Amino acid sequence: MEKTEILSMFNAKFGTSVALRLVKLREEFGELMEASEKDIFKNKENLDDFVDELADLNAVVFHITGILGLTQDELLSMAADKVVGREKDPNYKRKHPHVERQKTAQQ
């Protein structure tokens, strides 16, 4: 299937509410963490379980990305840009709203 077909299928099946998809993202992340607690290199079944959960997590990220009108390639480029930028400036594109709220509250 093409990515556009997959996105259309996900939209039809799961809707386009980012809030609801974030709930699913949390669920899939939890399942990935459970799978990671096993020694994934001990046997093929453990590794297969881990990869399966990673694929589920990726599918939800793909769907959220598509709902927002972006692609995973764009997200990857954005992340790579930060890594490169932070080699020169550790604060490159670094935003921490919770820290700003704490500073404001303390003033």
Side-chain angles (χ1 to χ4, degrees), residues 17-96:
S17 166
V18 172
L20 292 177
R21 298 313 288 156
L22 288 173
V23 170
K24 184 65 173 175
L25 186 68
R26 275 189 218 102
E27 175 189 321
E28 295 299 348
F29 181 75
E31 291 175 8
L32 180 67
M33 291 299 93
E34 285 178 25
S36 74
E37 291 173 1
K38 303 173 192 169
D39 183 351
I40 62 172
F41 299 109
K42 184 176 181 179
N43 62 53
K44 185 170 176 4
E45 183 179 334
N46 289 354
L47 180 59
D48 289 348
D49 289 346
F50 180 81
V51 170
D52 183 59
E53 296 304 337
L54 188 60
D56 291 349
L57 183 74
N58 185 56
V60 179
V61 170
F62 166 82
H63 189 205
I64 293 169
T65 302
I67 292 169
L68 297 175
L70 300 166
T71 67
Q72 285 185 305
D73 287 341
E74 289 171 312
L75 291 184
L76 186 58
S77 291
M78 294 159 125
D81 176 63
K82 280 194 222 177
V83 170
V84 170
R86 288 179 183 168
E87 288 176 355
K88 295 177 184 172
D89 175 7
N91 292 316
Y92 179 73
K93 291 189 176 180
R94 200 176 289 272
K95 297 176 187 171
H96 299 287

